[in-house]
Amino acid sequence: ATERDPLYFGWKANLSLVRALLQGTVEAQNKLDTPHYPFLVMVNPQDQLVDVDAARKLFEEAPATVKGFEMESFVGLGHELHNEQDWQKPLKIASTWFDSVPGAQGAQDL
């Protein structure tokens, strides 16, 4: 599905985009110890862009007391879970997970 997306440019990226992505990455990494809200990591175990071990480490080290890690539901999919044929699957998983969080509101609206 990603390759058919008219806004997908493959590996063609200009330097401004690369710089913005790197700056955003550094900023996010500097704040990794701050999420104290419900924290859900969803990753494809064969992801070609995300290191699954790094995603697991991010999950394990997150200071949030309520957190989840979902991987097996995405076997065989691509990196952009929301751009798959069944693009609603990750949304439904996230919504179901969020609904299970004590005191959570609003997931039913996703």
Side-chain angles (χ1 to χ4, degrees):
T2 300
E3 285 79 19
R4 292 189 304 272
D5 185 336
L7 298 176
Y8 175 71
F9 298 102
W11 293 102
K12 301 173 192 168
N14 65 38
L15 293 178
S16 295
L17 173 64
V18 172
R19 184 182 66 201
L21 289 172
L22 289 174
Q23 286 175 335
T25 299
V26 170
E27 183 177 337
Q29 287 176 332
N30 288 334
K31 296 180 179 182
L32 288 179
D33 61 346
T34 60
H36 294 282
Y37 44 79
F39 186 69
L40 175 63
V41 175
M42 298 190 303
V43 64
N44 166 7
Q46 296 95 21
D47 199 308
Q48 298 294 306
L49 296 176
V50 172
D51 181 335
V52 176
D53 292 334
R56 169 79 63 192
K57 184 177 179 185
L58 172 66
F59 164 76
E60 291 170 354
E61 293 181 2
T65 57
V66 177
K67 54 189 177 178
F69 188 88
E70 182 59 48
M71 182 171 67
E72 295 308 317
S73 298
F74 306 119
V75 170
L77 301 182
H79 169 73
E80 295 180 349
L81 302 174
H82 61 284
N83 275 338
E84 291 293 332
Q85 187 84 20
D86 187 8
W87 58 270
Q88 293 180 337
K89 182 178 184 176
L91 298 177
K92 289 175 185 175
I93 289 171
S95 179
T96 299
W97 179 82
F98 191 71
D99 284 341
S100 74
V101 173
Q105 297 178 2
Q108 65 275 3
D109 297 330
L110 291 178

